[in-house]
Amino acid sequence: MPRILRLAAAQMGPNQRADTRETILARMIALLEEAAGKGAKFVVFPELAFTTFFPRWLIEGAELDQYYEREMPNPRVQPLFDRARELGVGFYVGYAELTPQGQRFNSAISTGPDGSILAKYRKVHLPGSVEPRPGDRFQQLEKRYFEYGDLGFPAFRGAPDWGAPVMGMLVCNDRRWPEAWRVYALQGVELMVMGYNSAAYDPNGGSTENEEIRTFHSTLAAQSNAYMNATWAVSVAKAGNEDGSGLIGGSVIVDPNGVIVAQAGTLGDEVLVADCDLDLTRQGKEKMFNFEAHRRPEHYRRIVEQVGAKPPA
Amino acid sequence: MPRILRLAAAQMGPNQRADTRETILARMIALLEEAAGKGAKFVVFPELAFTTFFPRWLIEGAELDQYYEREMPNPRVQPLFDRARELGVGFYVGYAELTPQGQRFNSAISTGPDGSILAKYRKVHLPGSVEPRPGDRFQQLEKRYFEYGDLGFPAFRGAPDWGAPVMGMLVCNDRRWPEAWRVYALQGVELMVMGYNSAAYDPNGGSTENEEIRTFHSTLAAQSNAYMNATWAVSVAKAGNEDGSGLIGGSVIVDPNGVIVAQAGTLGDEVLVADCDLDLTRQGKEKMFNFEAHRRPEHYRRIVEQVGAKPPA
């Protein structure tokens, strides 16, 4: 029996700092309803979907804390969960997590058609720095505001109604790290979902990257890692001019050949939908990327035995 | 001082089974001379450059053995080495290796401007199968004719005259395996060189891949892995209709942003040349892909602790 899952990418335009949570939630619910109206069973929202990308500023105390969710769901996000349950649609959403123990993570969850949380992921590859760069208007302070994800890359099963796909979550910068995709592929992943907030300029203070090259990098990472891991991938932006700082768009749904099957054309709220035949992953998994037949881990040990690069003399 | 290295990709058209070694060497020398005439200091030839892609046939004994080199160099390849030394040009070339102990590898070497061998590589990711597929006209018997490479992925320094780049070699199918690139990147690789013979149809007996998608995959693997490992890459085909079996072209020189700077337009003998600023790798190595700052090997252990995929229940 074919396992066809209709997926949606819910690209979001910017969330301004001055926007109320109600305004943002209303936009997300409108995107969810549009996706459900087009028959999608699972909808992928961006990283930090409920807020502006606050790590661009050096802030603290209550000003910082307002951006974190203490539990999931909670009253400030409940309307999205309620509407999704009514529509029978699952979703991925990224958010800033503050645990009862005071730990902070850049997290994402995926929900099932009944609104229950299927799995949680905490971003492993935090970009940026702890200390701000003097004189720069916009910072990249994720290493200041979040701890490194402590859950690894745990694959999980999607709903039986979706064909029970093996799923994996990433957040933003993770998608550029082949190790992350491979750890999921070693769990047989068929559907990778991820949201991002990626600056339209070099967020690390360099001068060689612009919106065009950074959009290209985002697309290239989704396409190539989908291909090399024989999986579907949905990679979704929060895009546009957010509080004066540009974010790339370029949300895509990519098939296991690395071919783009749907791509955003705007920097605003936009729904992409595609029918994903989960069994298209079989060609890669059973032939070119039949790991059992072809991988040679005895030659991969540097990947876990060292962190930084060590050039030869 | 800028480290600009002028590189060449020497794409080759097909080597027919009936072609003499002299004919093939003459073509390679002509490509070498064209590249040197354009100022290239290092020239990348394909995998199994001296012969046809013999693993497409089930053969044995003397018919098989004729395709292997017993040492490197040897009289059957010496004219290429001599001409390269005269021109002061180094090269990468792939060949079938038969050791004095009787081991067989799908190997490559890189030479320096003085014609000496700088480093050897033996292909780790052998595709195909040991046993032929009944009824298929063309096979993929690399697992029958070669042992798995036993040298790992050893980076080496190119000539001082080239800016002493950290270099790494791959052969064909290796280029689709992110682990291979990453092990080199963990040695600080700045220039990855590789040759291939990739069928223009699914060589594993499937029916979903054709010349277009396979050329796309080849290019995608070179672009993405160059980007994610912040390295230059030169990926070079033996192309065209070889003894009735199609090989893709699509040779490329790719910069550390993953951008193609030169690309073959034919399926025949063709030289691509590009000036490669080795210090363009610094942006990636020091910012986005600063491994010391951003990698989290504690979450990558599956990459070495298991071979095949293990899906969740």
Side-chain angles (χ1 to χ4, degrees):
Chain A
M1 194 178 121
R3 297 160 67 222
I4 312 286
L5 172 58
R6 188 166 293 184
L7 292 172
Q11 178 174 291
M12 293 175 67
N15 293 339
Q16 309 304 337
R17 181 146 49 167
D19 290 343
T20 64
R21 175 62 64 94
E22 291 67 31
T23 303
I24 294 168
L25 266 194
R27 284 170 48 217
M28 293 177 73
I29 290 170
L31 289 165
L32 187 81
E33 290 174 341
E34 180 181 341
K38 291 176 173 171
K41 298 294 185 191
F42 190 80
V43 181
V44 182
F45 288 104
E47 175 193 35
L48 297 175
F50 300 115
T51 66
T52 187
F53 184 76
F54 62 88
R56 70 168 68 91
W57 300 299
L58 181 62
I59 50 180
E60 59 186 356
E63 187 183 7
L64 177 62
D65 287 353
Q66 67 177 312
Y67 294 116
Y68 292 79
E69 311 300 315
R70 268 71 175 173
E71 56 185 333
M72 191 58 74
N74 65 63
R76 300 200 306 164
V77 302
Q78 193 64 49
L80 177 68
F81 280 71
D82 291 344
R83 191 70 184 114
R85 192 184 59 248
E86 289 167 9
L87 295 167
V89 170
F91 62 88
Y92 161 108
V93 70
Y95 65 100
E97 176 186 11
L98 177 52
T99 73
Q101 294 75 35
Q103 289 187 289
R104 295 162 193 263
F105 298 100
N106 190 341
S107 298
I109 50 162
S110 286
T111 68
D114 63 352
S116 65
I117 293 174
L118 293 175
K120 178 194 281 193
Y121 171 73
R122 290 168 169 165
K123 186 175 184 175
V124 167
H125 296 97
L126 296 176
S129 56
V130 174
E131 297 304 325
R133 294 184 308 271
D136 280 5
R137 181 175 172 209
F138 296 115
Q139 303 292 335
Q140 182 11 316
L141 295 171
E142 287 191 54
K143 284 190 197 289
R144 185 182 190 89
Y145 296 145
F146 301 112
E147 299 181 35
Y148 291 108
D150 59 353
L151 303 176
F153 303 103
F156 59 100
R157 287 273 178 191
D161 180 38
W162 306 339
V166 181
M167 297 177 62
M169 291 185 276
L170 296 173
V171 175
C172 193
N173 184 42
D174 287 315
R175 73 196 188 285
R176 306 178 202 270
W177 293 83
E179 294 94 336
W181 292 75
R182 192 57 118 212
V183 170
Y184 280 122
L186 284 161
Q187 299 166 78
V189 74
E190 298 169 302
L191 172 59
M192 291 287 289
V193 293
M194 64 210 75
Y196 58 90
N197 286 234
S198 292
Y201 53 88
D202 183 342
N204 298 304
S207 60
T208 63
E209 298 191 351
N210 60 19
E211 181 167 2
E212 180 186 2
I213 193 76
R214 288 180 54 82
T215 306
F216 166 72
H217 287 163
S218 182
T219 309
L220 183 64
Q223 291 185 269
S224 61
N225 287 302
Y227 165 59
M228 293 189 292
N229 295 285
T231 181
W232 285 89
V234 186
S235 184
V236 182
K238 177 142 62 68
N241 188 322
E242 196 173 74
D243 291 309
S245 180
L247 295 171
I248 65 167
S251 301
V252 285
I253 302 176
V254 176
D255 79 11
N257 266 318
V259 173
I260 294 170
V261 298
Q263 185 164 28
T266 74
L267 295 177
D269 289 3
E270 182 176 350
V271 172
L272 311 176
V273 172
D275 279 332
C276 302
D277 179 349
L278 297 165
D279 291 326
L280 281 185
T281 62
R282 302 256 63 89
Q283 162 80 9
K285 291 186 191 301
E286 294 170 7
K287 294 179 185 291
M288 185 68 80
F289 300 110
N290 178 333
F291 290 168
E292 187 67 35
H294 301 310
R295 292 181 78 247
R296 309 299 299 173
E298 66 271 29
H299 296 303
Y300 306 156
R301 298 209 58 87
R302 275 184 195 269
I303 292 172
V304 298
E305 290 178 354
Q306 67 185 73
V307 181
K310 298 180 182 176
Chain B
M1 193 179 121
R3 297 160 69 221
I4 312 285
L5 173 58
R6 188 166 294 182
L7 292 172
Q11 177 173 294
M12 293 175 67
N15 293 339
Q16 308 305 337
R17 181 148 47 169
D19 289 343
T20 65
R21 175 61 65 94
E22 290 67 30
T23 303
I24 293 168
L25 266 195
R27 284 170 48 217
M28 294 176 72
I29 290 170
L31 289 164
L32 187 81
E33 290 173 341
E34 180 181 341
K38 292 177 173 170
K41 298 294 185 192
F42 190 81
V43 181
V44 182
F45 288 104
E47 175 194 33
L48 296 176
F50 300 114
T51 66
T52 187
F53 184 76
F54 61 89
R56 69 169 69 90
W57 299 299
L58 182 62
I59 50 180
E60 59 186 356
E63 186 182 7
L64 176 62
D65 287 352
Q66 67 179 310
Y67 294 116
Y68 292 79
E69 310 300 314
R70 267 71 176 176
E71 55 186 331
M72 191 58 76
N74 65 63
R76 300 200 307 165
V77 301
Q78 193 65 48
L80 176 68
F81 280 70
D82 291 344
R83 190 71 184 114
R85 192 185 59 247
E86 288 167 9
L87 295 167
V89 171
F91 62 88
Y92 161 109
V93 69
Y95 65 100
E97 176 187 11
L98 175 53
T99 73
Q101 294 73 36
Q103 288 188 289
R104 295 162 192 263
F105 299 101
N106 190 341
S107 297
I109 51 163
S110 286
T111 68
D114 62 353
S116 66
I117 293 174
L118 293 175
K120 178 192 280 191
Y121 171 73
R122 290 169 169 165
K123 185 175 185 175
V124 167
H125 296 98
L126 296 176
S129 56
V130 174
E131 297 303 325
R133 293 185 309 272
D136 280 6
R137 180 174 172 210
F138 295 115
Q139 303 292 336
Q140 183 9 316
L141 294 171
E142 287 191 54
K143 284 191 196 289
R144 184 183 191 91
Y145 296 144
F146 301 112
E147 298 181 36
Y148 292 107
D150 59 354
L151 302 176
F153 303 102
F156 60 100
R157 288 273 179 192
D161 179 40
W162 307 340
V166 181
M167 297 177 61
M169 291 185 276
L170 296 173
V171 174
C172 193
N173 185 43
D174 286 315
R175 73 196 188 284
R176 308 178 201 270
W177 293 82
E179 294 94 336
W181 292 75
R182 192 57 117 212
V183 171
Y184 279 121
L186 284 162
Q187 299 167 78
V189 75
E190 298 169 303
L191 172 59
M192 291 287 289
V193 293
M194 64 210 75
Y196 58 90
N197 285 234
S198 291
Y201 53 87
D202 183 342
N204 298 304
S207 60
T208 62
E209 298 191 352
N210 59 19
E211 181 166 3
E212 180 187 2
I213 193 76
R214 288 181 54 82
T215 305
F216 167 72
H217 287 163
S218 182
T219 309
L220 182 66
Q223 291 184 269
S224 61
N225 286 302
Y227 165 59
M228 294 189 292
N229 295 286
T231 180
W232 285 89
V234 186
S235 184
V236 182
K238 178 144 59 70
N241 187 321
E242 197 174 73
D243 290 310
S245 179
L247 294 171
I248 65 167
S251 302
V252 286
I253 302 177
V254 177
D255 79 12
N257 267 318
V259 174
I260 294 170
V261 298
Q263 186 164 27
T266 73
L267 295 177
D269 289 4
E270 182 176 350
V271 171
L272 312 176
V273 172
D275 279 331
C276 302
D277 180 348
L278 296 165
D279 291 326
L280 281 185
T281 62
R282 303 256 61 89
Q283 161 82 9
K285 291 186 191 300
E286 292 170 8
K287 295 180 185 289
M288 185 68 80
F289 300 110
N290 178 332
F291 290 167
E292 188 66 35
H294 302 310
R295 292 181 78 247
R296 309 299 299 172
E298 67 271 28
H299 296 302
Y300 307 156
R301 298 209 57 86
R302 277 184 194 268
I303 292 171
V304 298
E305 290 179 352
Q306 67 186 72
V307 182
K310 298 179 182 176

